[in-house]
Amino acid sequence: MAIKTKSSLIPSCASPEDLKRVLQTLGSSWGDVVEDLERLEVVPLKGAMTNEVYQISWPTLDGEDVHRKVLVRIYGDGVDLFFNRDDEIKTFECMSHHGYGPKLLGRFSDGRLEEFIHARTLSAGDLRKAETSDFIAAKLREFHKLDMPGPKNILLWQRLRNWLKEAKNLSSPIEIDEFRLEALEGEINLLEERLTRDDQEIGFCHNDLQYGNVMIDEETNAITIIDYEYSSFNPVAYDIANHFCEMAANYHSDTPHILDYTLYPGEEERRRFISTYLGSTGNATSEEEVERLMSDAENYTLANHLFWGLWGIISGHVNKIEFDYMEYARQRFEQYWLRKPLLFKDVE
């Protein structure tokens, strides 16, 4: 059922009365009156591929020119296959408590309301600006050091195996052959064996640090990392690898599913990011540390291609957001099979 408003629709909300009740309660707590949904102004925010996200504003009692703004997130179909929503909410609330990201303002059955952050969401091109990249590197280091509650176990390998099982259950025999899904269990085992080391740093990782999940205050240059749905403890090299891989994407283009790997950062750009990342804590950083993390991040790009390739297959079967998930998956798997022999030269 859709919610009709002054300027747009919220088409995917299954519980409009529930959302209306939450908006009215929130508005009342601020001294506003939200009775007539027709007065709401809604702006769809593009680039989200797991949920649908909207900016909602309404005039306050101070006058039509003064508006409240909140962000409404409508959960995408099938997201429970990717992560536990209750765990994600706990992470969101914990991050807010630590002063990171937006505040949770309210929940309804198939979504939630979040604080609207008055900062600019980055564009794809922003990631390539040296100064902005430095800010992101330092913020990511800070993020990885967060002392989050719960076990500090690596989730990557378990998640890959769970997603492979789901992808195989959802896929047709033709798709299983096309994506070589029967071979992937062995590939995951190989990656876990080759990439696991006792001395690798484990941190609280975002796991989805694409440009749309980074905001910047243009007055202070303060960086805010948002959307923690896929966050978990993982090797920090994996999170950096994910960020590098995301530089091939532009989710606001006419073909948001198309990836351009000629845009993958070169060695100099990767070295600068990792040097800034390691040096942001103020401790002396050796060239050996930089080289090791660069190598680890390159190797973890393989796991990242499998991660988002499986995500694409599952999403293509369960998510109704307008995005060519299957073609996206094809490109990620293509990169995996292309890059593996270059990175693991001793493996046939």
Side-chain angles (χ1 to χ4, degrees):
M1 184 182 297
I3 292 183
K4 187 175 186 301
T5 67
K6 178 178 179 180
S7 56
S8 185
L9 294 174
I10 305 179
S12 300
C13 184
S15 52
E17 289 303 317
D18 198 9
L19 173 55
K20 179 180 178 181
R21 175 184 54 78
V22 174
L23 283 168
Q24 289 172 336
T25 301
L26 179 63
S28 178
S29 71
W30 287 337
D32 301 334
V33 178
V34 185
E35 290 293 345
D36 184 6
L37 292 183
E38 294 274 350
R39 300 185 71 204
L40 298 179
E41 294 185 0
V42 177
V43 178
L45 301 182
K46 297 180 180 180
M49 290 163 292
T50 299
N51 308 298
E52 294 186 38
V53 184
Y54 302 87
Q55 172 192 304
I56 293 187
S57 61
W58 63 86
T60 69
L61 296 180
D62 294 329
E64 291 287 332
D65 294 333
V66 181
H67 284 69
R68 302 283 189 192
K69 288 184 180 180
V70 299
L71 186 142
V72 173
R73 185 179 303 275
I74 308 294
Y75 300 147
D77 295 324
V79 294
D80 55 323
L81 298 176
F82 296 123
F83 50 82
N84 182 291
R85 181 60 72 181
D86 289 336
D87 289 345
E88 189 264 334
I89 288 288
K90 290 177 184 176
T91 298
F92 187 97
E93 291 177 326
C94 186
M95 296 294 290
S96 178
H97 177 73
H98 283 292
Y100 286 83
K103 296 177 182 177
L104 179 65
L105 300 179
R107 299 175 65 182
F108 51 100
S109 60
D110 58 339
R112 67 176 181 247
L113 272 67
E114 302 172 11
E115 175 188 18
F116 184 83
I117 297 178
H118 294 277
R120 180 176 66 83
T121 303
L122 295 190
S123 67
D126 286 326
L127 297 186
R128 316 319 292 264
K129 297 175 181 176
E131 185 180 40
T132 304
S133 182
D134 287 348
F135 294 147
I136 296 170
K139 192 65 177 183
L140 185 60
R141 186 60 168 162
E142 186 180 313
F143 192 96
H144 287 162
K145 293 291 188 180
L146 288 174
D147 184 19
M148 299 296 285
K152 308 295 192 286
N153 302 327
I154 295 172
L155 192 59
L156 175 61
W157 310 115
Q158 175 190 339
R159 187 173 267 176
L160 281 172
R161 292 185 176 99
N162 289 344
W163 288 10
L164 175 58
K165 181 180 178 181
E166 292 293 346
K168 289 165 74 172
N169 287 340
L170 291 168
S171 296
S172 68
I174 293 175
E175 290 170 334
I176 288 175
D177 288 342
E178 176 188 358
F179 291 110
R180 301 169 68 175
L181 296 185
E182 294 294 357
L184 291 192
E185 184 174 356
E187 297 300 312
I188 294 169
N189 292 340
L190 172 68
L191 291 179
E192 183 177 19
E193 179 183 345
R194 295 293 295 264
L195 299 181
T196 298
R197 292 202 323 267
D198 291 338
D199 65 342
Q200 66 182 344
E201 182 180 347
I202 308 302
F204 185 69
C205 293
H206 186 275
N207 300 322
D208 187 22
L209 198 62
Q210 50 120 324
Y211 67 85
N213 288 333
V214 184
M215 305 185 76
I216 187 168
D217 184 319
E218 296 191 283
E219 292 184 3
T220 65
N221 289 324
I223 292 289
T224 300
I225 295 175
I226 62 172
D227 290 1
Y228 320 116
E229 292 159 322
Y230 297 96
S231 298
S232 69
F233 282 91
N234 269 332
V236 299
Y238 172 79
D239 214 14
I240 293 171
N242 180 90
H243 183 61
F244 290 162
C245 287
E246 287 293 349
M247 293 186 186
N250 185 347
Y251 301 118
H252 291 80
S253 70
D254 293 336
T255 52
H257 57 285
I258 297 298
L259 302 168
D260 182 358
Y261 283 100
T262 66
L263 298 176
Y264 185 81
E267 182 177 346
E268 182 179 346
E269 189 173 357
R270 299 197 310 273
R271 183 184 304 279
R272 177 189 172 108
F273 185 93
I274 287 174
S275 296
T276 303
Y277 169 88
L278 289 174
S280 63
T281 57
N283 297 326
T285 302
S286 69
E287 186 61 29
E288 181 183 356
E289 289 178 280
V290 174
E291 290 292 337
R292 184 167 59 245
L293 187 51
M294 282 183 64
S295 175
D296 288 348
E298 277 301 280
N299 289 334
Y300 268 109
T301 60
L302 296 178
N304 192 250
H305 289 314
L306 293 188
F307 185 95
W308 292 112
L310 292 169
W311 172 88
I313 293 174
I314 296 169
S315 297
H317 283 280
V318 303
N319 205 317
K320 297 180 178 61
I321 291 175
E322 189 175 339
F323 184 83
D324 193 341
Y325 295 101
M326 288 299 189
E327 178 55 32
Y328 179 87
R330 287 187 190 96
Q331 294 169 86
R332 297 307 298 251
F333 286 124
E334 180 181 276
Q335 281 296 306
Y336 176 82
W337 295 112
L338 179 67
R339 296 290 297 165
K340 179 190 169 187
L342 299 177
L343 293 171
F344 293 169
K345 294 183 173 61
D346 59 330
V347 176
E348 295 183 2

